[in-house]
Coordinates of all heavy atoms in Angstrom, one line a residue:
V245 N -2.6 -3.1 -17.7 CA -2.0 -3.2 -19.0 C -0.5 -3.3 -18.8 O 0.1 -2.3 -18.3 CB -2.4 -2.2 -20.0 CG1 -1.8 -2.4 -21.4 CG2 -4.0 -2.1 -20.1
A281 N 6.2 -1.8 -11.4 CA 6.1 -0.3 -11.3 C 4.9 0.3 -12.2 O 4.6 -0.3 -13.2 CB 7.4 0.3 -11.7
T296 N -1.3 1.3 -16.3 CA -0.2 0.7 -17.1 C 1.0 0.4 -16.1 O 1.4 1.3 -15.3 CB 0.3 1.7 -18.2 OG1 -0.9 2.1 -19.0 CG2 1.3 1.1 -19.0
R309 N 16.2 9.4 -7.1 CA 17.0 10.2 -6.2 C 18.3 10.7 -6.9 O 19.1 11.4 -6.3 CB 17.4 9.5 -4.9 CG 16.1 9.0 -4.1 CD 16.6 8.7 -2.7 NE 17.5 7.6 -2.6 CZ 17.2 6.3 -2.5 NH1 15.9 6.0 -2.4 NH2 18.1 5.4 -2.4
V315 N 15.0 8.3 -16.4 CA 14.0 7.3 -16.0 C 13.7 7.5 -14.5 O 14.6 7.3 -13.6 CB 14.5 5.8 -16.3 CG1 13.4 4.8 -15.7 CG2 14.7 5.6 -17.8
P345 N 11.6 3.4 8.0 CA 11.5 3.2 9.4 C 10.7 4.3 10.1 O 10.8 5.5 9.8 CB 13.0 3.3 9.9 CG 13.7 4.0 8.8 CD 13.0 3.7 7.5
E380 N 2.0 -8.9 7.9 CA 2.2 -7.7 8.7 C 1.4 -7.6 10.0 O 1.9 -7.0 11.0 CB 2.1 -6.4 7.8 CG 3.0 -6.3 6.7 CD 2.9 -5.0 5.9 OE1 2.0 -4.3 6.2 OE2 3.7 -4.8 5.1
V395 N -8.3 4.0 -5.3 CA -7.1 4.1 -5.9 C -6.5 5.5 -5.6 O -7.2 6.4 -5.8 CB -7.1 3.8 -7.5 CG1 -5.7 3.9 -8.0 CG2 -7.6 2.4 -7.7
G432 N 13.5 -15.1 16.3 CA 14.7 -14.2 16.2 C 14.6 -13.1 15.2 O 15.6 -12.6 14.7
L464 N -8.3 8.5 5.3 CA -9.1 8.5 6.5 C -10.3 9.4 6.4 O -11.4 9.1 7.0 CB -8.2 8.9 7.7 CG -7.3 7.8 8.2 CD1 -6.3 8.4 9.2 CD2 -8.1 6.7 8.8

Side-chain angles (χ1 to χ4, degrees):
V245 181
T296 306
R309 302 196 296 269
V315 174
E380 293 184 353
V395 176
L464 278 173

